[in-house]
Amino acid sequence: MPRMKNDRAESPPPGRERIFQGLGVAPGIALGTAWVSDDTAPSTPEYMIEIDGLAAESQRLKDAVALATKQLRKLKVKSQSLPPAAAEELGYLLDARLQMLAGSRLIRTADKLIAELRLNAEAAVRATVAEISDGFARMGDAYLAARGEDVREVGERLIRCLMATPYVALKHLPEGCILIATDLTPADTALLDPKLVLGFATEQGGKESHTAIMARSLGVPAILGIAHLVEGLKTGDPIILDGHAGKLIVHPTPETRDRYEAQGVALKQERKRLSRLRDMPAVTLDGFTISLNANIELPRDLEGAHRVGAEGVGLLRTEFLYMNRDQAPDEDEQYEFLREVVDGMDGRLVTIRTIDIGGDKLAPALREQIGEPIEEAPNPALGVRGVRLSLAHPRLFETQLAAILRAAVHGPVRILLPMISHIGEVHQARETLERVHKRLKRRKVNVPEKLPPLGVMIEVPGAALSADGLAAVSDFFAIGTNDLTMYTLAIDRGDERVAALYEPLHPAVLRLIQFTVEAGLRYRIPVSICGEIAGDPRFVPLLLGIGVRELSMSAPKLPSVKERIRALSLTEASRRARTIMDQADAKRIGELLDDFIANLGVHSV
Ligand code: PEP
Ligand code: MG
């Protein structure tokens, strides 16, 4: 969605402490220096390539040369429609540039720098261009100086082509930086290396956007929705990011710095205290056991899930495998990815959700297979997203199902369908699954004899209201409260301008959750909650009180949820939940919940 750039704010004098306020979406304190990502003028990244990556880097350069050549040829065709004299002039110019791309010194030297200095392709092109055009300029001849300009132009085009894959830059941020950007997509966020990036802040994005979710699962403190952020900072500014309070402090005074350093230490101690809960059961005071699972995006998240003692994976967002790449993964690659997760969970249940591309999660690599760009739909959140995309592209869906079935021989697996709104979609998906299963067996591929359980996400109000019908055809439910809240209240979860209205405690949302849980109980199918509220200790008494016994959340949230469970009586929580479910006002609901929590005994570990 295009955004209007805000009017420029008055710039305060440099060096004075300034505070920006936004939405704190991932807790933690980061003290570091700003690295401002300027979308309009991307700086050329420079980094070293591992030896075994040199061939791939050289291929990146070749691909960029092919793309630049294609662009120039297109330009040449277009130029034919100009008046003849202009077409001729431009034709010569474009021919000269095309020749440069066809194996000239520019390309040969850049390729050599990749191989010999292990430079990344962008930096290799930049260095070669500088060397050649400076050489021309030194000769003091106007004609040669103009040729230098041509070299520079071709170099810029090549760098732009290389950086059409913007993920390359985000992978190589300087160590100890705090990333500042206008916007970060979920795919961008997935690239951040928590060892290098201490935190990030952006102008756009809501509390339950996938960017926010990704930050929480990476354990990187983050703030979204800060107005006038990018124009108010520059790379190198010392900053403090408080991901809990949503405060970003630029040029902090020594006193502020001391205060936040102390807070950072206290936070670390609190995490250490909670880590002692790892092997303790998630059992209420009156003896009810709750299953606590992890939401993960990539195999790298497994370590975090084990660290907090997750019982299984309640949600694997497979769409992240399709992001930040030029080609979609084939069946074998998907199988390897899934096998890594299933093996990594050591016999514990893994819930694999089929791809949920669409809305704010995009995968340009799928463009060739799916044709029309889905993000250009009039309303992407209501368009071809989740299971709709899978069912519309049977080859894509069948490939993923085949990979899942193959991975299922390595450990217990369930298959979860996102964005279900019609019973027919479940039937269609099950038929496809059975067909793929039969085909693989016929080919003697190693797959389980029995099909894995097939469940549906309840994240559309219409699905929640027809939970009875869906329960009859599903093996389990996972309630996606992030989308359920968005679609019930008509509030974009990713839009900071309506973030204050995004309220999962709204009685309409709670009733849909309760209705779904009760349908699951009647049909004796497991029901879990895997939206962000499952990882918020504030919601725990209410969710347990209305019958939920399975929660799935980003791993760092699990210890505090477990602590809350161990401190409450399910009988009392159910009583309070009954009172809450009679309320009409989200504010009153929040008060009743907070009052219940305030009266819980403290059972420290
Ligand atoms: C949800 O909508 O609550 C959910 C878990 O799915 P996602 O956040 O991936 O849309
Ligand atoms: Mg969802």
Side-chain angles (χ1 to χ4, degrees), residues 78-135:
K78 259 193 181 167
S79 73
Q80 315 291 313
S81 54
L82 291 171
E88 194 180 347
E89 189 63 25
L90 192 58
Y92 288 138
L93 195 83
L94 291 173
D95 280 341
R97 291 180 181 179
L98 276 164
Q99 260 179 21
M100 251 183 250
L101 287 170
S104 67
R105 189 173 142 216
L106 168 65
I107 309 300
R108 285 195 312 274
T109 312
D111 205 29
K112 215 166 116 192
L113 291 184
I114 293 174
E116 290 176 1
L117 300 184
R118 291 170 51 191
L119 266 186
N120 61 306
E122 293 89 341
V125 171
R126 171 81 64 224
T128 312
V129 166
E131 189 196 317
I132 299 176
S133 54
D134 287 357

Coordinates of all heavy atoms in Angstrom, one line a residue, residues 78-135:
K78 N 12.6 0.2 -27.6 CA 11.8 1.4 -27.3 C 12.2 2.6 -28.1 O 11.5 3.4 -28.6 CB 11.8 1.7 -25.8 CG 10.6 1.2 -25.1 CD 10.7 1.9 -23.7 CE 9.5 1.4 -22.8 NZ 9.8 1.8 -21.4
S79 N 13.6 2.7 -28.2 CA 14.2 3.9 -28.8 C 13.8 4.0 -30.3 O 13.9 5.1 -30.8 CB 15.7 3.9 -28.6 OG 16.3 2.9 -29.5
Q80 N 13.4 2.9 -30.9 CA 13.1 2.9 -32.3 C 11.9 3.8 -32.6 O 11.7 4.3 -33.7 CB 12.7 1.5 -32.8 CG 13.6 0.4 -32.4 CD 15.0 0.5 -33.1 OE1 15.1 0.7 -34.2 NE2 16.0 0.4 -32.3
S81 N 11.0 4.1 -31.5 CA 9.9 4.9 -31.8 C 10.2 6.4 -31.6 O 9.3 7.3 -31.8 CB 8.7 4.5 -30.8 OG 9.2 4.5 -29.5
L82 N 11.5 6.7 -31.3 CA 11.8 8.1 -31.2 C 12.0 8.7 -32.7 O 12.2 7.9 -33.6 CB 13.2 8.3 -30.5 CG 13.2 7.9 -29.0 CD1 14.6 7.9 -28.5 CD2 12.4 9.0 -28.2
P83 N 12.1 10.0 -32.8 CA 12.4 10.6 -34.1 C 13.7 10.0 -34.6 O 14.6 9.7 -33.8 CB 12.6 12.1 -33.8 CG 11.9 12.3 -32.5 CD 11.9 11.0 -31.8
P84 N 13.9 9.8 -35.9 CA 15.0 9.0 -36.5 C 16.4 9.5 -35.9 O 17.2 8.6 -35.6 CB 14.9 9.2 -38.0 CG 13.5 9.6 -38.2 CD 13.0 10.2 -37.0
A85 N 16.6 10.8 -35.9 CA 18.0 11.3 -35.5 C 18.3 10.8 -34.0 O 19.3 10.3 -33.7 CB 18.1 12.8 -35.6
A86 N 17.3 11.0 -33.2 CA 17.4 10.7 -31.7 C 17.6 9.2 -31.6 O 18.4 8.7 -30.8 CB 16.2 11.2 -30.9
A87 N 16.8 8.4 -32.4 CA 16.9 6.9 -32.3 C 18.3 6.5 -32.7 O 18.9 5.6 -32.0 CB 15.8 6.3 -33.2
E88 N 18.9 7.1 -33.7 CA 20.2 6.7 -34.2 C 21.2 7.0 -33.1 O 22.0 6.2 -32.7 CB 20.5 7.5 -35.5 CG 21.7 6.9 -36.2 CD 22.1 7.7 -37.4 OE1 21.2 8.5 -37.9 OE2 23.2 7.5 -38.0
E89 N 21.2 8.2 -32.5 CA 22.1 8.6 -31.5 C 22.1 7.7 -30.3 O 23.1 7.2 -29.8 CB 21.8 10.1 -31.1 CG 22.8 10.8 -30.2 CD 24.2 10.9 -30.9 OE1 24.3 10.9 -32.1 OE2 25.2 10.9 -30.1
L90 N 20.8 7.5 -29.8 CA 20.7 6.7 -28.7 C 21.1 5.2 -29.0 O 21.7 4.5 -28.1 CB 19.2 6.7 -28.2 CG 18.9 6.1 -26.9 CD1 19.7 6.8 -25.8 CD2 17.4 6.2 -26.5
G91 N 20.8 4.8 -30.2 CA 21.2 3.4 -30.6 C 22.7 3.2 -30.5 O 23.1 2.2 -29.9
Y92 N 23.5 4.2 -30.9 CA 25.0 4.1 -30.8 C 25.4 3.9 -29.3 O 26.2 3.1 -28.9 CB 25.7 5.3 -31.3 CG 25.7 5.4 -32.9 CD1 25.4 6.6 -33.5 CD2 25.9 4.2 -33.6 CE1 25.4 6.7 -34.9 CE2 25.9 4.3 -35.0 CZ 25.6 5.5 -35.6 OH 25.6 5.6 -37.0
L93 N 24.8 4.8 -28.5 CA 25.1 4.8 -27.1 C 24.8 3.5 -26.4 O 25.6 2.9 -25.7 CB 24.3 5.9 -26.4 CG 24.7 6.4 -25.0 CD1 25.8 7.4 -25.2 CD2 23.6 7.0 -24.3
L94 N 23.6 3.0 -26.8 CA 23.2 1.7 -26.1 C 24.0 0.6 -26.6 O 24.4 -0.3 -25.9 CB 21.7 1.5 -26.4 CG 20.7 2.4 -25.7 CD1 19.3 2.2 -26.1 CD2 20.8 2.3 -24.2
D95 N 24.4 0.6 -27.9 CA 25.3 -0.4 -28.4 C 26.6 -0.5 -27.7 O 27.1 -1.5 -27.3 CB 25.5 -0.2 -29.9 CG 24.4 -0.7 -30.8 OD1 23.6 -1.5 -30.2 OD2 24.2 -0.3 -31.9
A96 N 27.1 0.7 -27.4 CA 28.4 0.8 -26.7 C 28.3 0.2 -25.3 O 29.2 -0.6 -24.9 CB 28.9 2.3 -26.6
R97 N 27.2 0.5 -24.7 CA 27.0 -0.1 -23.3 C 26.7 -1.6 -23.4 O 27.2 -2.3 -22.5 CB 25.8 0.7 -22.6 CG 26.3 2.1 -22.4 CD 25.3 3.0 -21.7 NE 25.9 4.3 -21.6 CZ 25.2 5.3 -21.0 NH1 24.0 5.2 -20.6 NH2 25.8 6.5 -20.9
L98 N 26.0 -2.0 -24.4 CA 25.8 -3.4 -24.5 C 27.1 -4.2 -24.8 O 27.3 -5.3 -24.2 CB 24.8 -3.7 -25.7 CG 23.3 -3.6 -25.4 CD1 22.5 -3.5 -26.6 CD2 22.8 -4.8 -24.5
Q99 N 27.9 -3.6 -25.5 CA 29.3 -4.2 -25.8 C 30.0 -4.4 -24.5 O 30.7 -5.3 -24.2 CB 30.0 -3.4 -26.7 CG 30.0 -3.9 -28.1 CD 30.8 -3.0 -29.1 OE1 31.6 -2.3 -28.7 NE2 30.4 -3.1 -30.4
M100 N 29.9 -3.3 -23.6 CA 30.6 -3.4 -22.3 C 30.2 -4.5 -21.5 O 30.9 -5.1 -20.7 CB 30.4 -2.1 -21.6 CG 31.5 -1.1 -21.5 SD 31.0 0.3 -20.6 CE 31.0 1.5 -21.8
L101 N 28.9 -4.9 -21.7 CA 28.4 -6.0 -20.8 C 28.8 -7.3 -21.4 O 28.7 -8.3 -20.7 CB 26.8 -5.9 -20.8 CG 26.3 -4.8 -19.9 CD1 24.8 -4.6 -20.1 CD2 26.6 -5.0 -18.4
A102 N 29.2 -7.3 -22.7 CA 29.5 -8.6 -23.3 C 31.0 -8.9 -23.2 O 31.7 -9.0 -24.1 CB 29.1 -8.5 -24.8
G103 N 31.4 -9.1 -21.9 CA 32.7 -9.6 -21.7 C 33.8 -8.6 -21.8 O 35.0 -8.9 -22.1
S104 N 33.6 -7.3 -21.5 CA 34.6 -6.3 -21.6 C 35.5 -6.4 -20.4 O 35.3 -7.2 -19.5 CB 34.0 -4.9 -21.6 OG 33.4 -4.7 -20.4
R105 N 36.5 -5.4 -20.3 CA 37.4 -5.4 -19.2 C 36.6 -5.2 -17.9 O 37.0 -5.8 -16.8 CB 38.4 -4.3 -19.4 CG 39.5 -4.3 -18.4 CD 40.6 -3.3 -18.7 NE 41.1 -2.8 -17.4 CZ 41.5 -1.6 -17.2 NH1 41.4 -0.7 -18.2 NH2 41.9 -1.2 -16.1
L106 N 35.6 -4.4 -17.9 CA 34.8 -4.2 -16.7 C 34.3 -5.5 -16.1 O 34.5 -5.8 -14.9 CB 33.6 -3.3 -17.1 CG 32.5 -3.1 -16.1 CD1 33.0 -2.4 -14.8 CD2 31.3 -2.4 -16.6
I107 N 33.7 -6.3 -16.9 CA 33.1 -7.6 -16.4 C 34.3 -8.6 -16.0 O 34.2 -9.2 -14.9 CB 32.2 -8.3 -17.4 CG1 31.2 -7.2 -18.0 CG2 31.5 -9.5 -16.8 CD1 30.3 -6.6 -16.9
R108 N 35.3 -8.6 -16.9 CA 36.4 -9.6 -16.6 C 37.1 -9.2 -15.3 O 37.3 -10.1 -14.4 CB 37.4 -9.6 -17.7 CG 36.9 -10.3 -19.0 CD 38.1 -10.6 -19.9 NE 38.9 -9.5 -20.2 CZ 38.7 -8.5 -21.1 NH1 37.7 -8.7 -21.9 NH2 39.6 -7.5 -21.3
T109 N 37.3 -7.9 -15.1 CA 38.1 -7.5 -13.9 C 37.2 -7.7 -12.6 O 37.7 -8.2 -11.6 CB 38.5 -6.0 -13.9 OG1 39.1 -5.8 -15.2 CG2 39.4 -5.6 -12.8
A110 N 35.9 -7.4 -12.7 CA 35.0 -7.6 -11.6 C 35.0 -9.1 -11.2 O 35.1 -9.4 -10.0 CB 33.6 -7.1 -11.9
D111 N 34.9 -9.9 -12.2 CA 34.9 -11.4 -11.9 C 36.2 -11.8 -11.3 O 36.2 -12.7 -10.4 CB 34.6 -12.1 -13.3 CG 34.0 -13.5 -13.0 OD1 33.3 -13.6 -12.0 OD2 34.2 -14.4 -13.8
K112 N 37.3 -11.2 -11.7 CA 38.6 -11.6 -11.2 C 38.7 -11.2 -9.7 O 39.2 -11.9 -8.8 CB 39.7 -10.9 -12.0 CG 40.9 -11.7 -12.1 CD 41.8 -11.1 -13.2 CE 43.1 -10.6 -12.5 NZ 43.9 -9.8 -13.4
L113 N 38.1 -10.0 -9.4 CA 38.2 -9.5 -8.0 C 37.3 -10.4 -7.1 O 37.7 -10.6 -5.9 CB 37.6 -8.1 -7.9 CG 38.5 -7.0 -8.5 CD1 37.9 -5.6 -8.3 CD2 39.9 -7.0 -8.0
I114 N 36.2 -10.9 -7.6 CA 35.4 -11.9 -6.8 C 36.3 -13.1 -6.5 O 36.4 -13.5 -5.3 CB 34.2 -12.3 -7.6 CG1 33.2 -11.1 -7.7 CG2 33.5 -13.5 -6.8 CD1 32.0 -11.4 -8.6
A115 N 37.0 -13.6 -7.5 CA 37.7 -14.9 -7.3 C 39.0 -14.6 -6.5 O 39.3 -15.4 -5.6 CB 38.1 -15.4 -8.7
E116 N 39.7 -13.5 -6.7 CA 41.0 -13.3 -6.1 C 40.9 -12.6 -4.7 O 41.6 -13.0 -3.8 CB 41.9 -12.6 -7.0 CG 42.3 -13.4 -8.2 CD 43.2 -12.7 -9.2 OE1 43.5 -11.5 -9.0 OE2 43.5 -13.3 -10.2
L117 N 40.1 -11.6 -4.6 CA 40.0 -10.9 -3.3 C 38.8 -11.4 -2.5 O 38.5 -10.9 -1.4 CB 39.8 -9.4 -3.6 CG 41.0 -8.7 -4.3 CD1 40.7 -7.2 -4.4 CD2 42.3 -9.0 -3.7
R118 N 38.0 -12.3 -3.1 CA 36.8 -12.8 -2.4 C 35.8 -11.7 -2.1 O 35.2 -11.7 -1.0 CB 37.2 -13.6 -1.2 CG 37.9 -14.9 -1.6 CD 38.5 -15.7 -0.4 NE 37.6 -15.9 0.7 CZ 38.0 -16.3 1.9 NH1 39.2 -16.6 2.1 NH2 37.1 -16.5 2.8
L119 N 35.7 -10.7 -3.0 CA 34.8 -9.6 -2.8 C 33.4 -10.0 -3.2 O 33.3 -10.7 -4.2 CB 35.3 -8.4 -3.6 CG 36.2 -7.3 -3.1 CD1 36.4 -6.2 -4.1 CD2 35.6 -6.8 -1.8
N120 N 32.4 -9.4 -2.6 CA 31.0 -9.6 -3.2 C 30.9 -8.8 -4.5 O 31.7 -7.9 -4.8 CB 30.0 -9.1 -2.2 CG 30.1 -7.6 -1.9 OD1 31.2 -7.2 -1.5 ND2 29.0 -6.9 -2.0
A121 N 29.9 -9.3 -5.3 CA 29.9 -8.8 -6.7 C 29.7 -7.3 -6.7 O 30.3 -6.6 -7.6 CB 28.7 -9.5 -7.4
E122 N 28.8 -6.7 -5.9 CA 28.6 -5.3 -5.9 C 29.9 -4.5 -5.7 O 30.2 -3.5 -6.4 CB 27.6 -4.8 -4.8 CG 26.2 -5.3 -5.0 CD 25.9 -6.7 -4.4 OE1 26.9 -7.4 -4.1 OE2 24.8 -7.0 -4.2
A123 N 30.6 -4.9 -4.7 CA 31.9 -4.2 -4.3 C 32.9 -4.4 -5.5 O 33.7 -3.5 -5.8 CB 32.4 -4.7 -3.0
A124 N 32.9 -5.6 -6.1 CA 33.8 -5.8 -7.2 C 33.5 -4.9 -8.3 O 34.4 -4.3 -8.9 CB 33.8 -7.3 -7.6
V125 N 32.2 -4.7 -8.7 CA 31.9 -3.8 -9.8 C 32.3 -2.4 -9.4 O 32.9 -1.7 -10.2 CB 30.4 -4.0 -10.1 CG1 29.9 -2.9 -11.1 CG2 30.0 -5.3 -10.6
R126 N 31.9 -2.0 -8.2 CA 32.2 -0.6 -7.8 C 33.7 -0.3 -7.9 O 34.1 0.7 -8.5 CB 31.7 -0.4 -6.3 CG 32.1 0.8 -5.6 CD 31.2 2.0 -5.9 NE 29.8 2.0 -5.6 CZ 28.8 2.4 -6.4 NH1 29.1 2.9 -7.5 NH2 27.6 2.3 -6.0
A127 N 34.6 -1.2 -7.4 CA 36.0 -1.0 -7.5 C 36.5 -1.0 -8.9 O 37.3 -0.1 -9.3 CB 36.7 -2.1 -6.7
T128 N 36.0 -1.8 -9.8 CA 36.4 -1.9 -11.2 C 36.1 -0.6 -11.9 O 36.9 0.0 -12.6 CB 35.9 -3.1 -11.9 OG1 36.0 -4.2 -11.1 CG2 36.5 -3.3 -13.2
V129 N 34.8 -0.2 -11.7 CA 34.4 1.1 -12.3 C 35.2 2.2 -11.9 O 35.7 3.0 -12.8 CB 32.9 1.4 -11.9 CG1 32.5 2.8 -12.3 CG2 32.0 0.4 -12.6
A130 N 35.5 2.3 -10.6 CA 36.4 3.5 -10.1 C 37.7 3.4 -10.8 O 38.2 4.5 -11.3 CB 36.5 3.4 -8.6
E131 N 38.3 2.2 -10.9 CA 39.7 2.1 -11.5 C 39.6 2.6 -13.0 O 40.4 3.4 -13.4 CB 40.1 0.7 -11.4 CG 41.6 0.5 -11.7 CD 41.9 -1.0 -12.0 OE1 41.4 -1.8 -11.2 OE2 42.6 -1.3 -13.0
I132 N 38.6 2.0 -13.7 CA 38.6 2.3 -15.2 C 38.3 3.8 -15.4 O 39.0 4.5 -16.2 CB 37.6 1.4 -15.9 CG1 38.0 -0.1 -15.8 CG2 37.5 1.8 -17.4 CD1 37.0 -1.0 -16.4
S133 N 37.2 4.3 -14.8 CA 36.8 5.7 -15.1 C 37.8 6.7 -14.6 O 38.1 7.7 -15.2 CB 35.4 6.0 -14.7 OG 35.3 5.7 -13.3
D134 N 38.5 6.4 -13.5 CA 39.6 7.3 -13.0 C 40.7 7.4 -14.0 O 41.3 8.4 -14.3 CB 40.1 6.9 -11.6 CG 39.1 7.2 -10.5 OD1 38.0 7.7 -10.9 OD2 39.3 6.8 -9.4
G135 N 41.0 6.2 -14.6 CA 42.1 6.1 -15.6 C 41.8 7.0 -16.8 O 42.6 7.8 -17.2

